[in-house]
Amino acid sequence: MSEMEESSAFKAEESSTQSSQFDPMAVHAGTGSTQSLEQIQESLDGGAYLTGEVPQQFNFDPQTLQPLNSEKLTGAVNFIERSLGDLTQRIEDEVAQVQQFQRKINLWEDRIEKNKLVIGKNQGKIKQNQIDLAYDKKNRDYWLGRAEEVMMDYQAASASNRETEWCWLIKKYCLKNANGTQIDPRHAAVEELCNGEANNLAGQYRTTSSKYDQSKKDRETENNRLIRENSTLLGTNEQLQGFIANTYQTEIEPLQDGILLLKEVSVKLKSLQSEGASGTYGELRAWAEQFLDEFLKSNPKVPQDFVTEFRRLSSISLPATNN
């Protein structure tokens, strides 16, 4: 065979071989359809996947391999039982944390109530002091007036310097000599004797008046002290009430929202558990995504770690950098 004949035979054989190979874009005779690239890709992956599922190597988070939507929750590893166990422990821990904050609040509330009792007691004392102050003032003024009256009467008798006037003064105030006998209005030194006794009597009245005046001042001082004490206690109560409100808003309420979120996923898992072997990851995820979306809009205070835990228990985790 010549070289030209050998070359022709080789080309004919090569053409025949190429025509027999599979062409992915070839049109099948009699059907007019073209085999899709998706079908080819499925054949390359080794099998078809259910709707909403992708091969694990195409998951968006390369650090996590999640079960497929079609997989059962009660497979080789019972996901529901394990998750319920984790949930129970987590909820108990968070409830204990809430109780710890509540105990602190209870101490603050007890302190507030004790302060209120002291404030009430002080207010009662202030009120009584106000009543007594009025009497102290009246008594002070009364005895001070008596002292002034004695001296005015003495001056009137001295100005008259008549026996009848000295008799009137002596009997009105029962003025006596040093030995205890009544002063004689006819005594040559009646003016000096009456002057001494009138001053002594006025002095006693002034002393009594001073005692009431001092009592008045003491009550006023005590009232001012009690008012300052009540003001301090009221300020302390306001501060404690602020602590309580802040603890509820920033600590307890977010934890309560988080506990509620965990309890909801617990209820859902128990519901799927009651269905037996029919519950799937896809069903759990479909519920969790919608529920979490609505829950976060209604409860914006829920801490992020509770949301992350919810996603983990619902098998809808985010990339590691977002958790």
Side-chain angles (χ1 to χ4, degrees):
M1 182 181 294
S2 66
E3 292 180 357
M4 184 175 294
E5 290 175 341
E6 289 178 355
S7 176
S8 299
F10 175 78
K11 290 180 180 179
E13 182 179 358
E14 182 179 11
S15 176
S16 175
T17 303
Q18 289 176 349
S19 62
S20 65
Q21 291 179 344
F22 174 74
D23 183 357
M25 299 302 294
V27 178
H28 291 276
T31 63
S33 63
T34 302
Q35 187 176 11
S36 67
L37 291 175
E38 287 79 0
Q39 291 173 323
I40 297 171
Q41 186 63 49
E42 288 176 0
S43 65
L44 293 175
D45 291 336
Y49 292 88
L50 299 177
T51 302
E53 296 181 346
V54 293
Q56 292 289 353
Q57 62 266 32
F58 297 117
N59 276 349
F60 61 87
D61 182 6
Q63 300 182 38
T64 305
L65 294 179
Q66 294 289 351
L68 298 177
N69 285 336
S70 59
E71 289 188 27
K72 303 297 183 182
L73 291 168
T74 55
V77 176
N78 194 320
F79 176 82
I80 294 180
E81 288 186 1
R82 184 184 64 187
S83 298
L84 287 175
D86 293 345
L87 273 169
T88 300
Q89 185 59 51
R90 178 65 186 273
I91 291 173
E92 289 178 356
D93 293 343
E94 299 303 335
V95 169
Q97 184 65 29
V98 170
Q99 291 174 343
Q100 184 175 350
F101 283 120
Q102 189 61 55
R103 284 193 292 270
K104 184 182 295 184
I105 287 176
N106 290 341
L107 291 176
W108 290 336
E109 289 178 340
D110 289 342
R111 175 75 177 278
I112 289 173
E113 291 303 316
K114 290 178 181 178
N115 288 347
K116 286 181 178 179
L117 291 175
V118 174
I119 290 171
K121 182 179 178 180
N122 289 348
Q123 288 176 337
K125 183 63 176 176
I126 290 171
K127 184 177 180 180
Q128 184 60 49
N129 279 345
Q130 292 289 357
I131 296 173
D132 293 339
L133 275 169
Y135 288 116
D136 286 338
K137 184 177 179 180
K138 289 180 179 181
N139 287 328
R140 178 201 65 182
D141 295 343
Y142 171 78
W143 291 110
L144 185 61
R146 289 297 304 273
E148 292 176 349
E149 183 182 358
V150 169
M151 297 311 299
M152 289 176 63
D153 286 346
Y154 165 76
Q155 290 172 3
S158 177
S160 173
N161 197 21
R162 290 172 58 83
E163 182 180 339
T164 55
E165 295 296 324
W166 290 121
C167 186
W168 161 76
L169 179 68
I170 292 168
K171 290 186 175 181
K172 181 177 180 179
Y173 294 107
C174 195
L175 301 181
K176 296 181 179 181
N177 295 310
N179 59 7
T181 61
Q182 193 175 47
I183 297 175
D184 185 355
R186 294 186 296 271
H187 197 287
V190 65
E191 183 176 1
E192 290 78 3
L193 292 173
C194 287
N195 179 46
E197 286 302 304
N199 276 297
N200 288 338
L201 182 59
Q204 293 179 20
Y205 289 160
R206 291 190 189 99
T207 299
T208 303
S209 174
S210 296
K211 289 180 180 179
Y212 284 109
D213 188 53
Q214 185 60 46
S215 176
K216 172 180 170 294
K217 292 178 180 179
D218 290 342
R219 296 185 198 279
E220 289 173 344
T221 300
E222 183 179 27
N223 275 4
N224 290 333
R225 178 185 64 79
L226 293 174
I227 290 171
R228 285 193 297 270
E229 182 178 349
N230 280 1
S231 179
T232 300
L233 292 173
L234 287 171
T236 300
N237 281 2
E238 290 173 356
Q239 187 177 31
L240 292 175
Q241 288 168 348
F243 290 161
I244 292 173
N246 183 67
T247 301
Y248 271 118
Q249 293 174 2
T250 62
E251 302 292 349
I252 292 181
E253 290 179 1
L255 285 177
Q256 289 176 335
D257 290 343
I259 292 171
L260 178 60
L261 181 63
L262 296 182
K263 286 184 175 181
E264 290 293 340
V265 72
S266 176
V267 171
K268 181 61 178 178
L269 288 172
K270 290 178 181 178
S271 174
L272 292 172
Q273 187 181 44
S274 66
E275 297 176 5
S278 60
T280 63
Y281 284 93
E283 184 180 356
L284 176 61
R285 288 167 181 156
W287 167 84
E289 289 283 10
Q290 181 179 0
F291 177 82
L292 182 61
D293 186 54
E294 296 174 355
F295 187 88
L296 291 178
K297 291 179 180 179
S298 302
N299 304 275
K301 291 183 180 180
V302 61
Q304 184 62 46
D305 61 315
F306 283 90
V307 178
T308 300
E309 182 70 2
F310 179 89
R311 288 183 170 277
R312 184 185 72 82
L313 293 168
S314 303
S315 191
I316 52 172
S317 63
L318 292 172
T321 54
N322 291 78
N323 282 332

